[in-house]
Amino acid sequence: QQPVQSPQAVILREGEDAVINCSSSKALYSVHWYRQKHGEAPVFLMILLKGGEQKGHEKISASFNEKKQQSSLYLTASQLSYSGTYFCGTERWGSGTYKYIFGTGTRLKVLA
Amino acid sequence: EAGVAQSPRYKIIEKRQSVAFWCNPISGHATLYWYQQILGQGPKLLIQFQNNGVVDDSQLPKDRFSAERLKGVDSTLKIQPAKLEDSAVYLCASSPGVTGGYEQYFGPGTRLTVT
């Protein structure tokens, strides 16, 4: 039931691009993306809602394929500050409320 | 705007002891979450409140964990008795909405070590 993220880990050089994927087996209402640096709390990046609405940071881009229940986070021209672990969080309607669950995580390291 | 506050930041206890964590969400946020994050894993939802009512506690080990949200604002999470496998970071988050599609704001977390 936990969303599966891929890749599990990636190493980039500054300026390179990366794509992180999140896949769920359940029909989703929304997908959220967070970045967590070591020893810190997760920080919100973006929400993608069923129907196409998006909310988040201007420099972050992502997509949500409602048919496949998959989301991708696009990191372009990576900077050292992008290093951390990225989690997707998925919302789905169930038992009278929105159920929330985080994905397996993707560790990203950007090298100078 | 003040963020989500949590205390204590660190706690070390022996197994079979009890412990309590406190969370003060962002003012006006209706939804409050408690997560358990074991090293190297994603946060696992323990309990979700909307105002002062529980909407999801399906993954809360109710034989040892309990939580309450006082007057729809502050919340406490208690473990009694603690086990070694409870060692983790306990994160509190709040969200402004009561429907889906709202971002969560996380507190700094409480790192619990059970010896």
Side-chain angles (χ1 to χ4, degrees), chain B residues 42-103:
Chain B
K44 172 189 169 185
L45 180 66
L46 294 175
I47 190 166
Q48 176 183 345
F49 293 93
Q50 278 181 7
N51 297 309
N52 58 352
V54 176
V55 295
D56 187 0
D57 63 356
S58 56
Q59 297 195 87
L60 186 73
K62 297 180 184 64
D63 58 333
R64 299 184 301 107
F65 286 65
S66 64
E68 62 178 357
R69 189 175 184 193
L70 306 172
K71 299 181 180 178
V73 183
D74 291 6
S75 178
T76 57
L77 176 70
K78 297 180 182 178
I79 307 175
Q80 181 180 5
K83 293 184 176 181
L84 295 176
E85 58 260 36
D86 297 332
S87 293
V89 175
Y90 291 83
L91 294 164
C92 177
S94 69
S95 177
V98 294
T99 59
Y102 287 88
E103 63 271 30

Side-chain angles (χ1 to χ4, degrees), chain A residues 66-82:
Chain A
E66 295 176 36
K67 289 185 179 179
K68 294 185 177 180
Q69 305 305 321
Q70 292 176 349
S71 178
S72 295
L73 182 70
Y74 305 99
L75 301 172
T76 57
S78 59
Q79 304 172 18
L80 294 175
S81 61
Y82 287 9

Side-chain angles (χ1 to χ4, degrees), chain A residues 2 29-30 32 34 36 38-44 47 49 55 87 91 95 97-104, chain B residues 9 33 35 37 39-43 45 48 50 55-56 58 91 98-104 106-108 111:
Chain A
Q2 184 179 24
Y29 174 75
S30 71
H32 303 204
Y34 292 83
Q36 185 175 29
H38 183 70
E40 300 180 8
V43 173
F44 166 74
I47 288 179
L49 284 82
K55 295 187 287 185
F87 292 101
E91 273 185 312
S95 304
T97 189
Y98 287 97
K99 300 280 189 178
Y100 199 89
I101 185 168
F102 274 91
T104 51
Chain B
R9 292 294 311 278
Y33 308 81
Y35 291 92
Q37 187 173 28
L39 187 64
Q41 299 181 17
L45 180 66
Q48 176 183 345
Q50 278 181 7
V55 295
D56 187 0
S58 56
L91 294 164
V98 294
T99 59
Y102 287 88
E103 63 271 30
Q104 297 183 29
F106 285 82
R111 182 176 299 276

